[in-house]
Amino acid sequence: MPPRLRLPRSRISQSLCRQRVYQHEVLVPSRFASGAAASAVTPAASIEQMTSSIPPIARYPSSQPPSHRRPEERRSQLLRQYTSLLRTTPLMVMFQHNNLQSTEWAAIRRELSKALQKVDEDQAAAGRNLPPLASSIKLQIIQNSIFETALRIVEYYRPGQTDLEAGNPPKAVDPVTQSSAEIPTILGSKGDSALTHDLSRAAHDAVRRMKGKHELTTLLSGPLAVLSFPHVSPEHLKAALSILAPKATGFPAPTRRANPGYHELAVQDGLQKLMLLAARVDGKVFDVDETKWVGSIEGGMDGLRSQLVTMLQSIGGSITSALDGHSKSLYLTLESRRSVLEDEQKGDGEGKSEP
């Protein structure tokens, strides 16, 4: 072990003092130098900036406008979802379900998807240029109170209307209306801008008096499910009703040989707990018989259009034949009258020439 060298205390104190002085000369002046450089680069604030007031901090972000209902709550999100569904769905069928289990729901949705896909395949095989709808047709459970509010907003609320302010009930509107995102604001009574989206206070105040006055309000009781179609397709509606409500509509259910999965115990137990209530077609409420009539249209919407064209042509042909018959009868009457007058003139002429 090498011997230790003992330094005198004077040398140790001198080295420590030199280290402290070096740190003070290097670190501290560098801090002040950077601040001086920054102050030399940054210009001084002007008088306008010093005298102007600080702008207020925005309470709501630009992507989140203020609303009457709290947008982060699940009820608000369901309301926006239901209003969007009602505006974009021209055909909607309502069912009442009683304590269906998750396995039963999964089995019913599986058989429903198979039946709807078969309709798309049949249309493609027939050469009909129609978009497939099986993937867009959804069966979902709804919350009755929120769905009723969404119905009132879609049917009766128009941004800028003054009927409710005057005390008159509003008129029903087309279900496919302009989105509230496209009409963000209107001018209020004092000339200020007021938000008019579905969660706004304007929408809430406009439809508050119409609570319980919609046609579907009486049906919105108990557990409900909705089958929504993106287009009015009688063929897809018939296929869906043959799976979900074959007894109520009279559409034949698939046989055991054609579709053995439909006759499984989970599917049959679930279908016994489903009951068809009504349908909403283009904003109008249809009962079970009218819903069955829509599903029984042969050839779908193309067949309905061809039937309409045939009916109009038959009406035009019947009108033409009726007018033609009247003109012919008038012509024959005039001709017979002319022949009678000619005979009378000839008889008068012969009677005068005899004496």
Side-chain angles (χ1 to χ4, degrees), residues 40 48 51 57 72 75 125 155 191 208 235 355:
E48 291 79 4
T51 56
I57 300 175
E72 66 272 8
R75 293 174 58 88
E155 293 288 344
R208 182 175 53 185
E235 296 173 343

Side-chain angles (χ1 to χ4, degrees), residues 285-295:
V285 180
F286 282 23
D287 58 6
V288 177
D289 294 334
E290 293 173 337
T291 306
K292 179 182 177 181
W293 172 79
V294 174

Side-chain angles (χ1 to χ4, degrees), residues 14-25:
Q14 290 177 4
S15 62
L16 291 176
C17 291
R18 289 177 182 176
Q19 186 178 1
R20 292 176 182 175
V21 170
Y22 176 77
Q23 292 179 354
H24 180 74
E25 291 177 353

Side-chain angles (χ1 to χ4, degrees), residues 261-295:
Y262 177 76
H263 296 273
E264 293 180 358
L265 185 60
V267 179
Q268 295 301 318
D269 289 345
L271 292 178
Q272 291 179 2
K273 303 175 185 177
L274 276 180
M275 183 175 63
L276 176 62
L277 296 179
R280 181 177 180 269
V281 184
D282 288 334
K284 298 180 180 179
V285 180
F286 282 23
D287 58 6
V288 177
D289 294 334
E290 293 173 337
T291 306
K292 179 182 177 181
W293 172 79
V294 174

Side-chain angles (χ1 to χ4, degrees), residues 37 92 108-109 140 170 188 219 251 256 291 294 318 345-346:
M92 182 180 296
I108 290 174
R109 288 191 174 98
Q140 59 181 344
L219 300 178
F251 296 134
R256 187 180 296 273
T291 306
V294 174
S318 61
Q345 290 179 357
K346 288 181 180 180

